[in-house]
Amino acid sequence: MPASLFCTLIVYLLGRNLLQLHGENADLGAVASAFSFMNWLRAFSTTTGGALGHYWSLAVEEQLYAFWSLIVLAVAAWRSTQSVPKVAAALLVLSVAWRTYLWMSGADAHRLYNGLDTHCDGLLIGCIIAGLQDKLAETGISRLWPVAALAFVVELFFFNAQSRWLWLYIPAASLTAGLIVSCAIAAGNPLARLLAMKPLVFLGKRSYSFYLWHLPVIGFFFASGISRSLWILPSLVLCLILSELSYRLIERPFLQFKDRPAGTGIAAA
């Protein structure tokens, strides 16, 4: 959260013109990013959010995590935490059914792709995996790593957000991501060993910051009028530099608070 707020502030102060691409409201885009409602802004209006438009996915995450915390507490009080994966699975089915209904009713791709209610598949699958994490190794799911790898390649080259098969693409991509994560957790397979390689672990730790900065950087070069072939490599390098700085100076220091024992610091005083 601190890293995303810092990125929003910098883009707003130093690059308001990036937020105003296509005549969009820079102030509204910054507020939507800071207060996590960019997804609904994109779902029910013609705005894209400019250089902060990618914050729609962060907004979906923040909103689901807020609701999910309450759901877990309610389920744990009502029955037990062992029922949490079942509740997540039920919500997943409801979301897919609701999205399919909206698609068949003529809802446009922006509504389906950006809404929390229509694009929470991946997060709910993650909740299911988290609840069943200790049992994954016993299921033999690691043997499905070739299926996960093949599905990833197929979706990478043949699926896109504007496809008329969007209603199918979202759950397919989410299931593939869930299968990849499950294989990685179960370990003992080539896919898990690949993802455990130091270069990929290094990039994975900085992937959040890279995601934050990639669109502002692309927007900057795009607005400069320079030929795309000339700025692809520099933009990649700049994204890597900014993500490294963000990880070291913002993310890592704040993550240390998560591991601090209770009763230390100001609270103890």
Side-chain angles (χ1 to χ4, degrees):
M1 193 68 175
S4 66
L5 291 175
F6 179 74
C7 180
T8 298
L9 179 63
I10 295 300
V11 172
Y12 180 74
L13 294 178
L14 301 182
R16 294 186 80 247
N17 61 311
L18 300 182
L19 290 169
Q20 293 172 323
L21 291 174
H22 310 298
E24 296 180 11
N25 187 314
D27 297 325
L28 181 59
V31 171
S33 301
F35 291 93
S36 300
F37 64 88
M38 177 63 79
N39 61 320
W40 295 116
L41 184 64
R42 287 166 55 100
F44 291 106
S45 71
T46 57
T47 186
T48 65
L52 293 175
H54 59 312
Y55 272 56
W56 74 268
S57 64
L58 305 181
V60 169
E61 291 178 19
E62 296 292 339
Q63 292 159 20
L64 181 69
Y65 293 155
F67 286 117
W68 185 245
S69 299
L70 299 176
I71 292 173
V72 170
L73 290 174
V75 172
W78 176 45
R79 301 194 66 174
S80 69
T81 54
Q82 294 181 347
S83 299
V84 171
K86 297 178 182 178
V87 174
L91 292 174
L92 174 61
V93 172
L94 287 174
S95 177
V96 173
W98 173 240
R99 181 176 60 243
T100 304
Y101 168 76
L102 290 178
W103 180 258
M104 295 178 66
S105 300
D108 64 20
H110 294 290
R111 168 66 180 92
L112 298 178
Y113 200 78
N114 291 280
L116 168 64
D117 55 334
T118 53
H119 201 155
C120 56
D121 309 42
L123 296 173
L124 288 173
I125 289 174
C127 293
I128 296 172
I129 293 173
L132 301 176
Q133 183 173 345
D134 296 334
K135 302 178 181 179
L136 285 177
E138 303 172 4
T139 63
I141 197 171
S142 62
R143 292 194 294 267
L144 296 178
W145 70 266
V147 177
L150 178 61
F152 173 76
V153 173
V154 170
E155 292 164 13
L156 183 65
F157 288 100
F158 295 102
F159 283 24
N160 65 78
Q162 301 302 321
S163 170
R164 64 189 183 92
W165 299 102
L166 177 65
W167 63 275
L168 180 61
Y169 160 68
I170 295 177
S174 300
L175 287 171
T176 299
L179 184 57
I180 290 174
V181 171
S182 299
C183 290
I185 292 175
N189 60 83
L191 183 58
R193 289 191 289 272
L194 173 66
L195 294 176
M197 294 177 63
K198 289 185 177 180
L200 292 182
V201 173
F202 177 89
L203 291 175
K205 289 181 177 180
R206 291 149 180 83
S207 60
Y208 175 71
S209 289
F210 189 93
Y211 181 77
L212 291 178
W213 288 103
H214 84 280
L215 196 56
V217 169
I218 291 175
F220 169 77
F221 281 103
F222 184 81
S224 69
I226 302 174
S227 173
R228 180 177 300 183
S229 60
L230 298 178
W231 57 255
I232 290 179
L233 182 59
S235 66
L236 176 61
V237 173
L238 182 56
C239 282
L240 290 172
I241 293 174
L242 290 173
S243 61
E244 179 67 20
L245 292 174
S246 178
Y247 174 72
R248 288 182 177 273
L249 301 179
I250 301 177
E251 282 190 68
R252 198 160 63 177
F254 273 92
L255 285 173
Q256 292 176 355
F257 287 103
K258 182 183 70 172
D259 301 323
R260 178 178 295 183
T264 60
I266 297 175

